Amino acid sequence: HVQLVESGGGSVQAGGSLKLSCTASGYTHVYTKYTLAWFRQAPGHEREGLASVTSAGVTTYAERVQGRFFISLDNDKSTLFLQMNNLKPEDTAMYYCAASIIVLQPASRLRQRPYNHWGQGTQVTVS
């Protein structure tokens, strides 16, 4: 069973940056094929996919964060990152990391349903 724990959220002024982390534990070393992703959910809105990375290192970004958010993975530390730059008030949300133990098709990588492991979330507030 895979556990995911996010950290790095907080309050920041518009135009600022934050770097979120997601540490995975629990048999992560046995999975050689996987897809990892960041999602967010603002009050009254559906959860939306932001960025994903596969075990092959292929990244996918939602158009609304393309060029501002960057996903990366430290395999040695089993940690997923999301570097967020030029933050805007509309980026305010709870941010979640998610994992799938298969390589998802490109069209599915930013959709919630295929992911079967989720963290508890970390709050990001931009004012």
Side-chain angles (χ1 to χ4, degrees):
H1 184 65
V2 176
Q3 293 91 40
L4 303 174
V5 178
E6 302 94 337
S7 62
S11 297
V12 64
Q13 290 189 338
S17 298
L18 279 175
K19 187 172 185 177
L20 305 183
S21 300
C22 173
T23 301
S25 61
Y27 301 103
T28 56
H29 60 282
V30 304
Y31 301 118
T32 59
K33 304 288 186 183
Y34 51 80
T35 307
L36 306 173
W38 285 98
F39 289 76
R40 70 184 179 192
Q41 187 168 19
H45 291 77
E46 292 187 356
R47 192 170 296 188
E48 60 174 340
L50 303 174
S52 71
V53 60
T54 71
S55 45
V58 177
T59 57
T60 303
Y61 291 94
E63 189 173 329
R64 67 184 64 195
V65 301
Q66 181 87 42
R68 294 193 301 128
F69 290 11
F70 300 92
I71 191 170
S72 61
L73 177 64
D74 183 335
N75 270 313
D76 290 342
K77 297 182 179 179
S78 295
T79 303
L80 180 71
F81 299 100
L82 184 68
Q83 176 68 46
M84 305 186 295
N85 301 323
N86 190 23
L87 284 162
K88 306 174 182 180
E90 52 264 42
D91 294 318
T92 295
M94 186 72 79
Y95 284 68
Y96 300 90
C97 64
S100 170
I101 57 173
I102 62 172
V103 177
L104 299 174
Q105 293 297 313
S108 298
R109 289 173 190 167
L110 296 182
R111 296 179 181 172
Q112 293 186 62
R113 191 170 180 178
Y115 292 90
N116 44 13
H117 301 284
W118 291 86
Q120 294 300 306
T122 185
Q123 177 68 36
V124 172
T125 303
V126 185
S127 59

